[in-house]
Amino acid sequence: QLLTKGTKRKSAVQIAQQVESLGGSLEPFSGRDDFGLVLQLLAQDEVTTQRLKAQDGLVELPQGLDFPCSPPMAHQRKAIGLFTQRPRFAFLMEMGTGKTYVILAGMRWLQQHDMLRPSLVVAPASVLHVWEDQAKQHQPSLKVEILQGSVADRLRQLQEGYNRGTEVFVVNYEATWRMGKELFRYPW
């Protein structure tokens, strides 16, 4: 269904709200002999939105995603399910709600579908080992490595881990600015 269909009955605000609800943008353009609007939407967003509305917010987890230690809670199931249905997704969850668990499950799903590229997790130094511990407990097939020590040590660990096929590298905030240029050399 075209968003412009029925524009005689829709105000500019209504059209803008519909575009926004689909995660899209509407931009004008003009040239020498033409003018118009460009509409950009995330792929499958309208289909996903309609399906979610029909399910009243319930989202099914993808087939084959296993949870060896404990099943996800309802809000985690929803986050994992939404992640697997969208090409881009942000986990905007409060502290203590199980973000690490959810992100690791999402990485596992990417791994199962041959879409997981090496990932860089930037976290406070106090929780670096949480990532490694949670991965071992909840998604043991993921290879996680903490980058620690001097800058030279971290860069060596990064190169060696990358060569070994490590999938998730965890580093603290302070280390990233010291490793900035080198981190950009990898296809995260």
Side-chain angles (χ1 to χ4, degrees):
Q1 177 180 358
L2 294 174
L3 292 174
T4 55
K5 184 177 181 182
T7 53
K8 290 181 182 179
R9 296 185 307 261
K10 293 181 183 177
S11 69
V13 171
Q14 289 171 317
I15 292 172
Q17 288 172 337
Q18 189 171 4
V19 169
E20 180 68 26
S21 74
L22 298 173
S25 66
L26 197 56
E27 300 291 330
F29 71 87
S30 62
R32 254 183 113 152
D33 298 325
D34 57 357
F35 65 93
L37 293 172
V38 175
L39 172 66
Q40 293 182 339
L41 297 173
L42 294 176
Q44 297 294 315
D45 236 23
E46 185 173 5
V47 174
T48 302
T49 301
Q50 296 305 320
R51 188 170 65 240
L52 290 177
K53 285 180 182 176
Q55 294 175 353
D56 194 27
L58 298 176
V59 181
E60 288 186 32
L61 289 173
Q63 293 291 327
L65 187 57
D66 55 327
F67 302 94
C69 182
S70 61
M73 294 182 274
H75 70 281
Q76 292 171 322
R77 291 176 62 85
K78 186 173 184 177
I80 295 164
L82 290 171
F83 168 77
T84 62
Q85 296 174 7
R86 289 178 162 71
R88 294 172 198 86
F89 193 79
F91 295 101
L92 306 175
M93 299 166 66
E94 294 290 329
M95 185 170 63
T97 58
K99 285 183 301 298
T100 304
Y101 178 96
V102 169
I103 293 169
L104 289 167
M107 289 177 170
R108 173 69 176 125
W109 181 82
L110 290 171
Q111 181 189 52
Q112 288 176 330
H113 290 84
D114 295 323
M115 296 187 297
L116 181 62
R117 297 186 340 200
S119 301
L120 180 67
V121 173
V122 181
S126 61
V127 299
L128 295 181
H129 288 282
V130 171
W131 280 88
E132 188 175 48
D133 295 342
Q134 291 285 307
K136 286 178 185 173
Q137 182 178 4
H138 297 292
Q139 296 298 334
S141 67
L142 288 174
K143 299 174 192 157
V144 177
E145 185 167 338
I146 298 173
L147 304 178
Q148 52 194 354
S150 68
V151 173
D153 289 343
R154 288 190 295 258
L155 292 174
R156 181 184 44 74
Q157 293 162 8
L158 177 61
Q159 183 63 53
E160 290 173 358
Y162 189 82
N163 292 340
R164 277 193 312 273
T166 298
E167 295 150 323
V168 183
F169 295 92
V170 186
V171 67
N172 67 342
Y173 297 129
E174 296 78 21
T176 56
W177 68 267
R178 292 183 177 102
M179 300 171 62
K181 291 178 185 177
E182 290 83 2
L183 289 175
F184 284 111
R185 294 183 183 148
Y186 292 87
W188 305 110

